[in-house]
Amino acid sequence: MSGSAKAPPPFICPHCDKELGLPSDDRHYYSCAHCGKLIDLPAQFAFLRGVAAFDEAQDAYQALKKERKKRLPSYTAAEGRIVRTFVEAYSSIQVAFNSELTDHQRSLGIEMMANMTLLFLKHEMVSGLEVSYWKALMVEQTAQNEYDLLRQKLKASVNAAGVIRRLRWRARQNQLKRALAQIDKRIRLIEGSIAFVDPPRTRHKGWKPLD
């Protein structure tokens, strides 16, 4: 049979990575049949749209940079199309951040928003304050990931690691604690300055910098 529509890609549960059959009705929340966790379907669809648009724009942007030997000051039509695709990604990720995303999705979303707002700033499409917000979130999650890794190392190496190594890990962990507290204050200050009507859920629910 010719001319048949292409089947949509399977929907993967963001929590357990299992393929999930979606309901035929327009419900907002749906429980995964495998892990039982509740899924915010509109937020997930927005996130998937955002990732797809970002990847498309990023590939096109890299290809455009390769085509010209030096960066031109003029704003070309091709670059305009790329920026519009980035805007689609930006808008979709904004919608997705209205809901609680998984740790991986939140991390990826912050990274994409940090990259996109930096590009938008060059075209005067966003404020420097918004760029600072996403950059601060990037710094925070990098520091938090390192802190968590050190905590795991210290817990797993009670009898294995040498005293000097453990002291070095502990010193770095304390350094990261102080840095995270400072970053937390900066993010809260920026959030207050931006005055979000509906603040994006970019951080762990109930997140504390000294956990």
Side-chain angles (χ1 to χ4, degrees):
M1 184 176 178
S2 60
S4 58
K6 185 178 180 181
F11 181 83
I12 306 299
C13 174
H15 302 287
C16 66
D17 293 329
K18 296 290 183 63
E19 186 175 335
L20 183 63
L22 293 178
S24 57
D25 54 357
D26 295 328
R27 68 182 75 180
H28 192 118
Y29 293 101
Y30 188 63
S31 296
C32 175
H34 303 282
C35 66
K37 291 189 176 180
L38 201 61
I39 302 171
D40 185 328
L41 292 177
Q44 288 300 314
F45 292 147
F47 183 79
L48 293 174
R49 288 196 304 272
V51 171
F54 179 86
D55 288 344
E56 178 186 341
Q58 187 78 345
D59 289 344
Y61 187 65
Q62 294 301 323
L64 183 63
K65 287 176 66 175
K66 288 180 180 179
E67 285 178 5
R68 49 195 190 189
K69 295 181 180 179
K70 62 180 180 178
R71 193 171 185 82
L72 300 178
S74 61
Y75 187 74
T76 65
E79 192 171 356
R81 289 192 295 271
I82 291 169
V83 170
R84 286 193 293 273
T85 307
F86 273 128
V87 170
E88 293 176 18
Y90 173 86
S91 299
S92 294
I93 298 300
Q94 276 188 319
V95 171
F97 269 129
N98 288 330
S99 179
E100 294 288 343
L101 299 175
T102 66
D103 289 344
H104 172 71
Q105 289 176 328
R106 183 171 53 249
S107 177
L108 180 58
I110 289 171
E111 183 178 347
M112 288 190 293
M113 292 297 270
N115 285 323
M116 288 188 288
T117 52
L118 192 59
L119 173 65
F120 294 160
L121 183 64
K122 296 177 181 178
H123 299 291
E124 300 181 347
M125 298 168 63
V126 297
S127 68
L129 193 62
E130 184 174 352
V131 175
S132 296
Y133 174 69
W134 294 105
K135 182 179 178 180
L137 287 169
M138 278 278 291
V139 173
E140 179 187 61
Q141 74 176 11
T142 300
Q144 185 69 54
N145 289 340
E146 184 181 353
Y147 178 84
D148 292 341
L149 181 61
L150 286 171
R151 183 166 54 183
Q152 292 172 12
K153 284 183 176 181
L154 286 165
K155 185 177 180 180
S157 63
V158 175
N159 299 316
V163 175
I164 300 300
R165 181 180 298 177
R166 286 180 58 82
L167 286 174
R168 188 165 60 246
W169 289 345
R170 184 68 67 184
R172 177 56 178 165
Q173 191 180 48
N174 290 333
Q175 184 182 39
L176 288 167
K177 273 187 178 182
R178 293 191 294 271
L180 282 166
Q182 292 173 355
I183 297 168
D184 176 59
K185 290 179 182 178
R186 175 166 175 72
I187 291 174
R188 293 178 187 275
L189 181 63
I190 295 174
E191 286 177 337
S193 299
I194 293 178
F196 289 110
V197 176
D198 187 11
R201 301 181 186 183
T202 53
R203 307 171 85 186
H204 287 280
K205 191 175 182 180
W207 184 88
K208 294 180 181 179
L210 300 183
D211 279 354

